């Protein structure tokens, strides 16, 4: 049984995007900060990400968040985000799910009303505000990363698509922002595959044309994301709603609109002079789920007008489970994983089922 281990999981979703929260079974990783722990996991133990996002345990549309210790005195826990494309330093939907898991697991005991605490992401400290009613986490608001527009209304000829107008925002990753209506999309669920195929062509064309560099982080890799923007509907003074969807990887459209996608939209609206402090944008997904982004402040960083914002949504717990990892299974690449596994497999006690009478 030395080749069999278990990992403890809490499966959650926010806006339809499933985040598997790893709550146990992994050794403490080297690194003084969550960013350093993430880099170790990425470079030395990528097998955990692959195990939980690939067959037979998962699918690429899911995400994984590993709870890790934090050395920051203001944070209650750290978390490392793993997705099919790699290790983003921040994600809104993953943060909503991790904050809910921290409350549901008792790391932060639930209290009625508004609770505030901080988590440490690879990007740094994240302020969390959770609303709890009758013991249920009804909503979570988290700080979005400072976001800005790198490129406004550039054009590119995309093979198989035609001339495309796009903007580029940074909101935790670089996003191409395109008008869905101009490309003939209504942003309904039946278009999901066509949206993924179209986004892939646009992203690949932009990547072939140029790269992007963050004003402090430098090179953060090639353009990964595209956000389709639907028409804006004025719901109330300072409150706009828009159908939206986000492409993150070949063949993968997020179930939610994504927190970072919503932050990117806020940066664009601010750049175009269409936001005041306190204004809100609700992005609505192909599955009619939504996140609300709130514009909280702006500042000038060199040539960039940087937007401060928050993202509000709700996460639901789907399951608590123990994943059994058998290193003799040819579908499991334990060579990239074994050295961080902690728990040995323990056979569960048999359960006596009631007999029919």
């Amino acid at each position: 049984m030395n080749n069999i281990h278990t990992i403890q999981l809490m499966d959650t979703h926010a806006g339809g995007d499933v985040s598997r929260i790893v709550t146990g079974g992994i050794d403490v990783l080297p690194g003084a900060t969550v960013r350093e722990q993430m880099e170790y996991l990425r470079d030395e133990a990528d097998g955990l990400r692959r195990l939980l996002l690939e067959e037979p345990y998962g699918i690429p549309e899911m995400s994984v968040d590993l709870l890790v210790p934090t050395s920051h005195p203001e944070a209650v826990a750290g978390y490392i985000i793993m997705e099919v494309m790699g290790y983003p330093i921040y994600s809104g939907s993953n943060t909503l799910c991790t904050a809910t898991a921290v409350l549901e697991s008792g790391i932060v005991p639930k209290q009625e009303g508004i609770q505030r605490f901080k988590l440490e992401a690879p990007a740094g400290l994240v302020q969390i505000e959770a609303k709890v009613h009758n013991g249920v986490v009804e909503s979570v608001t988290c700080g979005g990363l400072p976001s800005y527009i790198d490129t406004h209304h550039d054009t590119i000829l995309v093979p198989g698509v035609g001339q495309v107008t796009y903007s580029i925002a940074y909101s935790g990753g670089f996003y191409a922002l395109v008008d869905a209506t101009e490309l003939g999309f209504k942003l309904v669920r039946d278009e999901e595959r066509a949206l993924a195929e179209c986004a892939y062509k646009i992203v690949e064309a932009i990547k072939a044309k140029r790269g992007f560099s963050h004003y402090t982080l430098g090179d953060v890799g090639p353009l990964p994301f595209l956000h389709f923007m639907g028409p804006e509907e004025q719901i109330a003074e300072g409150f706009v709603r828009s159908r939206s969807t986000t492409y993150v990887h070949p063949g993968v459209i997020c179930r939610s609109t994504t927190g970072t996608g919503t932050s990117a939209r806020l940066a664009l609206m601010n750049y175009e002079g269409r936001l005041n402090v306190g204004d809100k944008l609700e992005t609505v997904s192909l599955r009619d789920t939504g996140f609300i982004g709130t514009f909280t402040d702006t500042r000038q960083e060199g040539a960039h007008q940087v937007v401060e914002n928050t993202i509000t949504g709700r996460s639901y717990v789907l399951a608590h489970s123990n994943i059994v990892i058998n290193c003799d299974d040819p579908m499991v690449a334990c060579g990239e994983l074994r050295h961080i596994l902690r728990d040995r497999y323990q056979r569960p006690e048999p359960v006596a089922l009631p007999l029919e009478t």
Side-chain angles (χ1 to χ4, degrees):
M1 301 296 287
N2 290 338
N3 281 339
I4 303 181
H5 305 259
T6 55
I7 293 177
Q8 288 74 54
L9 302 177
M10 182 188 300
D11 282 359
T12 63
H13 87 85
D17 281 328
V18 174
S19 292
R20 315 192 87 169
I21 315 298
V22 182
T23 59
I26 303 299
D27 272 331
V28 175
L29 304 175
T33 65
V34 170
R35 182 67 170 266
E36 291 178 0
Q37 293 177 67
M38 180 207 79
E39 291 168 351
Y40 176 85
L41 193 65
R42 179 194 65 200
D43 298 339
E44 305 294 337
D46 190 49
L48 179 64
R49 180 185 68 89
R50 293 178 56 200
L51 177 89
L52 295 176
L53 292 179
E54 297 177 0
E55 295 180 354
Y57 294 96
I59 57 173
E61 288 83 353
M62 302 169 72
S63 299
V64 176
D65 300 294
L66 172 63
L67 292 178
V68 296
T70 174
S71 59
H72 201 291
E74 296 182 32
V76 298
Y79 63 110
I80 297 171
I81 306 158
M82 291 169 269
E83 297 183 348
V84 64
M85 78 296 296
Y87 294 79
I89 61 173
Y90 190 71
S91 161
S93 60
N94 283 284
T95 300
L96 298 177
C97 288
T98 300
T100 300
V102 163
L103 288 163
E104 294 293 350
S105 65
I107 294 174
V108 173
K110 281 189 286 188
Q111 299 174 2
E112 288 294 299
I114 301 298
Q115 288 185 254
R116 296 180 178 88
F117 56 90
K118 292 180 181 179
L119 297 172
E120 185 184 358
L125 284 181
V126 183
Q127 179 68 51
I128 303 295
E129 181 178 284
K131 180 181 179 182
V132 179
H133 181 64
N134 290 334
V136 175
V137 183
E138 291 191 337
S139 69
V140 173
T141 297
C142 59
L145 282 197
S147 307
Y148 68 93
I149 295 300
D150 175 281
T151 303
H152 187 248
H153 283 186
D154 200 354
T155 59
I156 189 169
L157 182 62
V158 179
V161 178
Q163 196 79 8
V164 175
T165 300
Y166 68 94
S167 298
I168 298 292
Y170 181 86
S171 55
F174 280 106
Y175 271 86
L177 301 170
V178 300
D179 188 315
T181 303
E182 288 184 3
L183 295 169
F185 291 113
K186 298 179 180 179
L187 296 182
V188 293
R189 191 165 177 177
D190 289 346
E191 298 173 330
E192 189 164 353
R193 176 173 293 184
L195 285 162
E197 292 172 352
C198 179
Y200 172 78
K201 293 174 182 176
I202 297 171
V203 167
E204 292 303 304
I206 296 173
K207 285 164 60 176
K209 178 182 178 181
R210 57 169 298 195
F212 301 93
S213 180
H214 189 275
Y215 64 92
T216 58
L217 299 174
D219 183 8
V220 293
L223 175 73
F225 308 129
L226 184 144
H227 188 82
F228 289 100
M229 305 179 294
E232 295 176 6
E233 176 189 3
Q234 192 79 35
I235 301 303
E237 182 69 26
F239 186 12
V240 171
R241 179 178 294 149
S242 173
R243 295 195 69 82
S244 313
T245 198
T246 295
Y247 160 90
V248 295
H249 189 74
V252 179
I253 292 286
C254 281
R255 270 60 171 167
S256 78
T257 54
T258 72
T260 46
T262 304
S263 296
R265 291 284 299 277
L266 289 172
L268 180 63
M269 294 171 71
N270 173 71
Y271 186 92
E272 295 174 345
R274 299 188 291 113
L275 276 184
N276 296 311
V277 172
D279 285 356
K280 299 179 185 297
L281 165 70
E282 182 179 18
T283 52
V284 181
S285 74
L286 303 182
R287 288 162 172 77
D288 295 324
T289 60
F291 291 154
I292 295 176
T294 303
F295 172 46
T296 59
D297 201 0
T298 187
R299 66 179 189 274
Q300 198 70 27
E301 294 278 357
H304 302 295
Q305 194 172 53
V306 178
V307 167
E308 301 284 351
N309 61 97
T310 63
I311 302 297
T312 301
R314 183 172 182 178
S315 174
Y316 296 85
V317 177
L318 300 173
H320 300 268
S321 62
N322 289 335
I323 291 260
V324 178
I325 302 169
N326 188 337
C327 291
D328 293 328
D329 186 339
M331 296 287 288
V332 178
C334 274
E336 302 176 17
L337 177 67
R338 189 192 301 269
H339 59 295
I340 64 169
L341 295 174
R342 183 177 62 212
D343 290 349
R344 297 295 184 186
Y345 176 74
Q346 293 183 349
R347 188 181 303 278
E349 293 294 324
V351 177
L353 297 178
L355 299 176
E356 291 185 4
T357 58

